[in-house]
Amino acid sequence: QVQLVESGGGLVQAGGSLRLSCTASGRTLSSYAIGWFRQAPGKEREFVAAIRWTGAITITYYVDFVKGRFTISRDDIKNTVYLQMNSLKPEDTAVYYCGASVAVGSPLSKFRADYWGQGTQVTVSS
């Protein structure tokens, strides 16, 4: 079983950037598809982006409201997946979670996490 720990959240002004990290222990991340989600106060948790890879082939997926602003990537040596967030907006304020899915053959657009991290808070001020 994999354990996930998110980090990198914080307070940033609108237009700024943050890079979130999702570091795994217990298993290598390449065994899973990895996704980022977020949950704002009073709202449902929503899918943001996902990644899976096999050797040199990496596949990523983004929801429309983050395309062009967020980038998901991985570092095999550090067993970490990143979410680079640029041009942040106040509406990006949320707790961000990473999740791991064992369904590596499923479309990333239908990502469903089997394991979750504890989340990291991102606050974007206007």
Side-chain angles (χ1 to χ4, degrees), residues 68-84:
R69 299 191 299 127
F70 291 10
T71 303
I72 190 169
S73 63
R74 92 230 198 206
D75 184 325
D76 292 343
I77 294 174
K78 296 182 178 180
N79 211 25
T80 297
V81 167
Y82 301 102
L83 186 68
Q84 177 68 43

Side-chain angles (χ1 to χ4, degrees), residues 34-113:
I34 303 299
W36 283 97
F37 291 72
R38 69 186 187 186
Q39 187 166 19
K43 295 188 176 181
E44 297 284 324
R45 188 173 297 190
E46 62 181 358
F47 179 46
V48 174
I51 186 170
R52 71 168 186 262
W53 61 96
T54 303
I57 299 174
T58 301
I59 300 173
T60 59
Y61 178 87
Y62 301 91
V63 296
D64 286 346
F65 57 78
V66 303
K67 281 182 181 177
R69 299 191 299 127
F70 291 10
T71 303
I72 190 169
S73 63
R74 92 230 198 206
D75 184 325
D76 292 343
I77 294 174
K78 296 182 178 180
N79 211 25
T80 297
V81 167
Y82 301 102
L83 186 68
Q84 177 68 43
M85 307 187 296
N86 299 327
S87 302
L88 283 163
K89 307 174 182 180
E91 51 265 43
D92 293 317
T93 295
V95 177
Y96 283 71
Y97 300 89
C98 68
S101 171
V102 300
V104 294
S106 297
L108 290 179
S109 58
K110 300 185 185 301
F111 183 94
R112 295 290 184 271

